[in-house]
Amino acid sequence: MKTLLVTGGAGFIGGNFVHLILSNFDWRIINLDKLTYAGNLDTLAAVMDHPRHLFIQGDIGDPELITQLLRDHQIDAVVNFAAESHVDRSIEGPAAFIETNVLGTFNLLDCTRAYWSALDDADKAAFRFLHVSTDEVYGSLGDAGAFTETTPYAPNSPYSASKAASDHLVRAWHHTYGLPVLTTNCSNNYGPYQFPEKLIPLMIAKAGAGESLPIYGDGSNVRDWLYVEDHCRAIALVLEAGRPGEVYNVGGNSEKTNMEVVDTLCTLLDEALPHSPHRPHNRLKQFVTDRPGHDQRYAIDATKLKTELGWEPTETFESGLRRTLNWYLDNQAWSRRVTDGSYRGQRLGSNEATRPGAGGVA
């Protein structure tokens, strides 16, 4: 049985990956998460007692812990989701992003290299280190074209710069030390268990409460939207069949402006909540001052992943968004619990003074 060390496995994408693996693969998971604000044990409630899942609270920056986990559990692969991930938060406090995304990834790589170097030849050849990254490392696109695996890096925010640095470290550990690494760069994820500072869950929460729906700038910023379960299937496929040292871009083939996202969501909310006093929810939209340095457009070309490994998304944006909305409506207690802490829907990453209820979008 293959044993994975999954870091950041109580977060949004990592938590969904844990659920997918335990439901569809005969693999064991050692799940390491620091449980910062976006890491939530409620996300793992259904699998906490699963016989192939062990949760450990800890930091990827702790060399003694990482070394112990790798050795004691005879890890066959590391899947690194652990990251500070919100652009707005990186504008307000970049230090945490450097600490986790750069220094933490370095520590994880170096501990893994030492462990991998001591394996026998067969186990060394089978071992994998998969690093989960973002399309934001490529910067901002014009009106046409899409990011490929060979697009030069041009990060524009503290968050994307920290992820770009971690990507380069992963590449260097392969080319310098021979560590069999894989990197995936994904477009904007959405789906169940996403922390409600991000666009889609934030809009669902605010619309349901009859609060204004804050849209940065004129709402024309474009993102390629990827349903999280499709992303997790891609990661599992790359882990199984990807070529060491390679990068694979994962996209949803669903480019939408922020305005289109909010409009579609409002229409679905009107259908799902026919008796809501806030219908039509579209009237709650409100334009707010744009995020500093806001990238205009991202789009992913996932041709390599499709042609080499046969992956493509199963959800359209509309079907994935409907599934997402239904999940949040059915799991309002989860949303309430994860927002019992410091984040209550206020705007982050603005040069303006923040105030509760001012809102903000990803």
Side-chain angles (χ1 to χ4, degrees):
M1 180 185 298
K2 183 180 292 187
T3 301
L4 310 184
L5 173 60
V6 176
T7 68
F12 167 44
I13 304 175
N16 276 281
F17 180 78
V18 168
H19 283 281
L20 177 82
I21 294 301
L22 293 175
S23 297
N24 295 278
F25 295 82
D26 187 26
W27 296 350
R28 183 168 176 250
I29 291 179
I30 308 303
N31 186 350
L32 176 68
D33 198 294
K34 191 176 179 180
L35 294 182
T36 58
Y37 76 96
N40 193 331
L41 287 181
D42 282 349
T43 298
L44 301 171
V47 297
M48 284 300 283
D49 296 325
H50 195 288
R52 289 185 284 110
H53 176 253
L54 174 64
F55 178 79
I56 297 166
Q57 184 173 356
D59 189 345
I60 62 170
D62 182 342
E64 292 184 2
L65 174 61
I66 297 300
T67 298
Q68 178 185 353
L69 293 178
L70 290 166
R71 183 186 62 243
D72 290 356
H73 297 285
Q74 298 183 306
I75 298 298
D76 300 298
V78 175
V79 185
N80 182 32
F81 295 96
E84 295 284 347
S85 67
H86 191 39
V87 173
D88 288 358
R89 285 183 182 268
S90 79
I91 294 170
E92 290 196 348
F97 288 73
I98 304 303
E99 182 71 29
T100 296
N101 300 356
V102 183
L103 298 179
T105 300
F106 157 72
N107 182 68
L108 186 62
L109 280 166
D110 220 33
C111 292
T112 301
R113 177 179 67 90
Y115 166 78
W116 169 79
S117 297
L119 297 175
D120 63 36
D121 289 344
D123 288 339
K124 285 178 74 173
F127 189 88
R128 295 292 183 269
F129 182 105
L130 193 153
H131 177 65
V132 180
S133 190
T134 172
D135 57 0
E136 297 193 35
V137 297
Y138 299 123
S140 184
L141 283 168
D143 294 336
F147 299 131
T148 71
E149 289 82 359
T150 60
T151 299
Y153 277 27
N156 290 319
S157 70
Y159 161 63
S160 57
S162 70
K163 288 298 290 183
S166 67
D167 291 6
H168 289 319
L169 289 171
V170 171
R171 173 185 168 85
W173 258 243
H174 175 70
H175 286 276
T176 302
Y177 303 111
L179 186 68
V181 306
L182 300 152
T183 299
T184 57
N185 294 85
C186 68
S187 56
N188 271 40
N189 278 226
Y190 67 101
Y193 302 114
Q194 188 171 29
F195 192 77
E197 67 191 356
K198 299 297 181 76
L199 175 60
I200 288 174
L202 183 64
M203 295 300 105
I204 293 172
K206 285 186 172 293
E211 299 177 12
S212 63
L213 308 180
I215 301 170
Y216 283 162
D218 61 2
S220 66
N221 300 80
V222 176
R223 300 292 181 263
D224 175 19
W225 292 91
L226 173 65
Y227 189 65
V228 66
E229 187 175 297
D230 281 332
H231 182 201
C232 292
R233 287 194 304 103
I235 293 169
L237 183 60
V238 171
L239 187 62
E240 283 194 292
R243 290 180 288 134
E246 291 296 310
V247 175
Y248 295 89
N249 281 354
V250 190
N253 296 329
S254 296
E255 284 189 60
K256 303 289 180 184
T257 66
N258 284 346
M259 182 70 78
E260 289 176 305
V261 172
V262 176
D263 283 340
T264 303
L265 189 54
C266 286
T267 298
L268 293 176
L269 275 164
D270 289 347
E271 296 174 5
L273 302 173
H275 304 298
S276 169
H278 312 304
R279 295 176 75 250
H281 294 88
N282 204 42
R283 64 183 173 85
L284 298 173
K285 291 188 301 184
Q286 180 183 32
F287 294 104
V288 299
T289 303
D290 206 354
R291 166 198 291 160
H294 199 177
D295 289 337
Q296 180 59 33
R297 175 175 171 261
Y298 305 142
I300 281 283
D301 181 347
T303 300
K304 179 178 178 179
L305 185 58
K306 181 177 180 179
T307 55
E308 288 195 13
L309 303 184
W311 176 91
E312 54 186 329
T314 60
E315 298 290 343
T316 65
F317 178 70
E318 290 73 16
S319 67
L321 191 60
R322 190 180 296 275
R323 287 184 65 181
T324 300
L325 173 61
N326 289 338
W327 187 89
Y328 278 97
L329 292 178
D330 291 340
N331 291 274
Q332 294 183 48
W334 180 90
S335 296
R336 284 194 299 270
R337 284 195 294 270
V338 302
T339 53
D340 280 346
S342 61
Y343 182 72
R344 298 298 179 86
Q346 72 271 25
R347 178 166 186 179
L348 301 169
S350 170
N351 289 329
E352 305 168 352
T354 57
R355 62 189 187 280
V361 296

